[in-house]
Amino acid sequence: MIWNRETRYTPYNAWPKSTLPALTAQVATSKWRLQHHIQPASGLLNDPNGFAYFNHQWQLSYQVFPYGPVHGLKAWQHLTSTDLIHWHDEGLAIQPDSKYDSHGAYTGTAIPVGDRLFIMYTGNVRDADWNRHAYQIGAWMDTDNQVKKITPPMIMAAPAGYTTSFRDPDLFERNGEYYALIGAQTTANLGAALLYHSSDLKQWDLQGELDLPAELRGYMVECPNLVEIDGQPVLIFCPQGLPQTTLAYENIYPNVSLVGSQFDLDHVKFTAAGAPTQLDAGFDVYATQAFNAPDGRALAVSWIGLPEIGYPTDSENWAHCLSLVKELTLKDNHLYQNPVIETKRLREKAQVLQAEVTSLTGAFETELTLAADEQVRLKVATTDAAHYLLIDLDSQTGTVTIDRRHTGHPFAEKYGQTRTTQVLRHTALKLRLIIDVSVFECYINNGYTTMTGRFFLDDAPTQLQLAGNVAAVSGTVWNWRK
């Protein structure tokens, strides 16, 4: 397939009916298919959308272009779950089939209102000269998962002083009033986040621009997301073009978190309680979406993939996945992330971590503790151990380094093949490592920091190898149920 503008934006009903079944059959044979992470049946997956609890189920969608591993005409693929670990595919929820989203149903969020789910998303439209128009569209989902779009759009255009890069509304409710935080770009090419307010979900008025410091804006703010944890606001966002003098990051674009002490909605003022941090210190996390669940938890899910980066699965006509669902907590104004407790239900066949653990099944996890002032090396390898993912732990210097140079299928080499994160020195180091065939999620010191990424071996990983002072490590390994 030659992916040009015409093929990327071919309407879904113009594709031959045989295309999707053929692509799905091809993708199903991939040795890199995941057992427990959300992934597309074919084509490209990107931003998580509409994460909510509604109709006695967890609701989650993701942007999808099902016809190839490229960014083309986007729709929303809808999933439901009763346990946050097993997801049922409900099919396409929002398709790019109106004059307000003719070139893509882009990122958005959802909140339950009575017996319906209210959705707001960005409709992407291109004119004959390929100029962009962005509309913030409302929609209602009923208990039968049927979606009805509202016309005209909630917000027809960005306000004066901002470009058409105006997208990704984040809905939330406070004291019976509704708000939407929307990513934007000023005409001076400075990233921004705009707050809109509504009392009735019909009329939306600009409340103002969030007072982000200039050094945190980059040239565009994508996927702004506000969540409350123990009464404190936490802002999660993706500032494209962020100077590395502001935040040391190595990926093409960062996903940033900022813990606050207060968010004054009337004056659109966010008071920070700490420094901005990378949400994930690994290779591939972007576009994280979080919300306050009715059970009191702050839950988040991330796109494990990055814009403008090619992946080895592209040749198989699929790309990317979502992270496991994570619970966000705060301690001393620091954001912690951990897989939701439900994830532990996947564990089976516990083994003691030792120098070599074999007979693993492609999806497994380990929890380990390294004593203070020690160094060990952990390899995630195939049966022949010819290629591997390498994790170095040093509790003397307080560093964890993940190296994917030796996996056999390198990619994104321009941005480096190692990542290192820093924790306390001279103290015991805890690690929870989850492997699911071609993705790793690494949670360090009870979620103080995380490192996530894709890696591609010639076969599914089946063994862990531990080198160094093995006696300084205690831990357990579990296979995951299929």
Side-chain angles (χ1 to χ4, degrees):
M1 177 64 70
I2 297 174
W3 291 110
N4 53 30
R5 185 179 295 175
E6 180 180 0
T7 52
R8 288 172 188 259
Y9 291 93
T10 298
Y12 288 12
N13 59 12
W15 286 89
K17 290 185 178 179
S18 60
T19 302
L20 277 184
L23 287 174
T24 300
Q26 177 193 13
V27 170
T29 65
S30 172
K31 62 192 172 189
W32 293 315
R33 293 294 281 174
L34 309 163
Q35 296 181 21
H36 294 284
H37 285 70
I38 292 168
Q39 59 196 332
S42 64
L44 179 136
L45 166 156
N46 62 306
D47 299 9
N49 292 320
F51 194 16
Y53 188 80
F54 166 70
N55 195 26
H56 310 292
Q57 293 177 309
W58 302 102
Q59 310 283 335
L60 179 61
S61 296
Y62 58 82
Q63 280 188 62
V64 65
F65 177 62
Y67 292 96
V70 297
H71 291 273
L73 188 57
K74 300 291 182 62
W76 279 32
Q77 192 81 20
H78 181 214
L79 311 170
T80 58
S81 175
T82 58
D83 62 5
L84 292 171
I85 51 175
H86 299 96
W87 294 90
H88 180 260
D89 189 349
E90 303 285 356
L92 292 178
I94 299 176
Q95 296 195 45
D97 56 8
S98 79
K99 66 179 182 179
Y100 297 114
D101 58 11
S102 59
H103 289 73
Y106 279 16
T107 295
T109 51
I111 54 173
V113 180
D115 62 354
R116 295 185 295 174
L117 189 70
F118 181 73
I119 298 167
M120 186 185 283
Y121 70 98
T122 300
N124 183 49
V125 174
R126 297 282 191 169
D127 64 19
D129 297 319
W130 210 244
N131 296 309
R132 183 196 302 274
H133 300 267
Y135 301 96
Q136 311 311 317
I137 300 172
W140 289 102
M141 177 185 285
D142 64 22
T143 54
D144 293 323
N145 295 328
Q146 298 302 304
V147 175
K148 184 176 182 180
K149 299 176 186 178
I150 301 168
T151 53
M154 304 284 98
I155 304 170
M156 293 295 292
Y162 298 88
T163 73
T164 56
S165 292
F166 175 56
R167 55 184 175 266
D168 312 335
D170 176 43
L171 287 167
F172 59 96
E173 179 267 334
R174 294 290 185 273
N175 301 318
E177 300 292 309
Y178 300 98
Y179 298 88
L181 191 62
I182 305 177
Q185 179 187 61
T186 71
T187 51
N189 291 323
L190 188 65
L194 303 179
L195 185 68
Y196 282 77
H197 166 259
S198 176
S199 295
D200 58 7
L201 295 175
K202 297 177 182 179
Q203 176 67 39
W204 289 87
D205 298 308
L206 178 62
Q207 193 86 351
E209 181 184 312
L210 189 64
D211 62 336
L212 284 173
E215 65 271 14
L216 280 181
R217 296 183 176 200
Y219 60 75
M220 171 66 196
V221 169
E222 289 197 314
C223 303
N225 188 218
L226 183 72
V227 67
E228 281 195 352
I229 306 174
D230 299 330
Q232 289 186 246
V234 177
L235 184 65
I236 298 170
F237 60 109
C238 297
Q240 295 187 330
L242 187 72
Q244 291 181 328
T245 52
T246 297
L247 185 66
Y249 68 95
E250 297 175 81
N251 298 339
I252 183 173
Y253 303 124
N255 205 162
V256 174
S257 66
L258 185 61
V259 176
S261 60
Q262 184 183 16
F263 187 8
D264 183 340
L265 294 169
D266 292 334
H267 299 94
V268 200
K269 183 174 178 57
F270 185 94
T271 304
T277 61
Q278 289 192 83
L279 190 71
D280 187 277
F283 296 90
D284 295 290
V285 160
Y286 196 72
T288 298
Q289 187 167 113
F291 82 108
N292 289 106
D295 61 11
R297 292 183 291 183
L299 301 179
V301 64
S302 303
W303 173 27
I304 303 180
L306 285 169
E308 303 168 40
I309 299 294
Y311 285 75
T313 57
D314 291 356
S315 64
E316 300 176 334
N317 281 314
W318 71 285
H320 311 313
C321 64
L322 296 185
S323 72
L324 298 171
V325 178
K326 300 168 281 192
E327 181 177 2
L328 308 180
T329 56
L330 285 178
K331 182 179 179 182
D332 298 328
N333 289 323
H334 183 87
L335 184 66
Y336 285 72
Q337 302 173 75
N338 282 290
V340 290
I341 191 68
E342 290 88 340
T343 307
K344 291 185 178 181
R345 298 176 189 170
L346 295 171
R347 292 174 172 177
E348 66 176 3
K349 300 178 182 177
Q351 302 179 60
V352 174
L353 179 61
Q354 48 192 334
E356 188 171 276
V357 178
T358 58
S359 301
L360 300 174
T361 57
F364 53 89
E365 74 169 293
T366 183
E367 282 190 349
L368 66 86
T369 300
L370 174 65
D373 296 314
E374 296 285 352
Q375 299 87 33
V376 292
R377 170 168 286 185
L378 187 66
K379 286 184 179 180
V380 178
T382 56
T383 301
D384 63 8
H387 295 103
Y388 50 86
L389 180 73
L390 187 62
I391 304 172
D392 284 316
L393 298 93
D394 188 331
S395 57
Q396 182 177 26
T397 61
T399 56
V400 177
T401 299
I402 299 182
D403 182 346
R404 61 183 186 188
R405 288 176 297 177
H406 311 285
T407 57
H409 296 272
F411 64 101
E413 292 177 280
K414 176 181 176 180
Y415 300 97
Q417 295 298 289
T418 64
R419 295 289 185 270
T420 298
T421 193
Q422 183 75 51
V423 292
L424 288 175
R425 306 169 187 263
H426 307 298
T427 60
L429 194 157
K430 294 184 177 181
L431 181 79
R432 182 179 180 185
L433 175 67
I434 294 171
I435 299 293
D436 188 359
V437 184
S438 62
V439 64
F440 66 85
E441 296 192 35
C442 185
Y443 299 85
I444 302 160
N445 284 358
N446 301 313
Y448 179 88
T449 188
T450 66
M451 303 178 78
T452 303
R454 300 299 301 276
F455 69 108
F456 299 91
L457 303 170
D458 285 328
D459 295 296
T462 57
Q463 61 178 291
L464 286 173
Q465 297 178 351
L466 190 63
N469 187 5
V470 177
V473 176
S474 60
T476 306
V477 182
W478 297 268
N479 271 311
W480 272 16
R481 294 180 175 87
K482 290 188 177 181

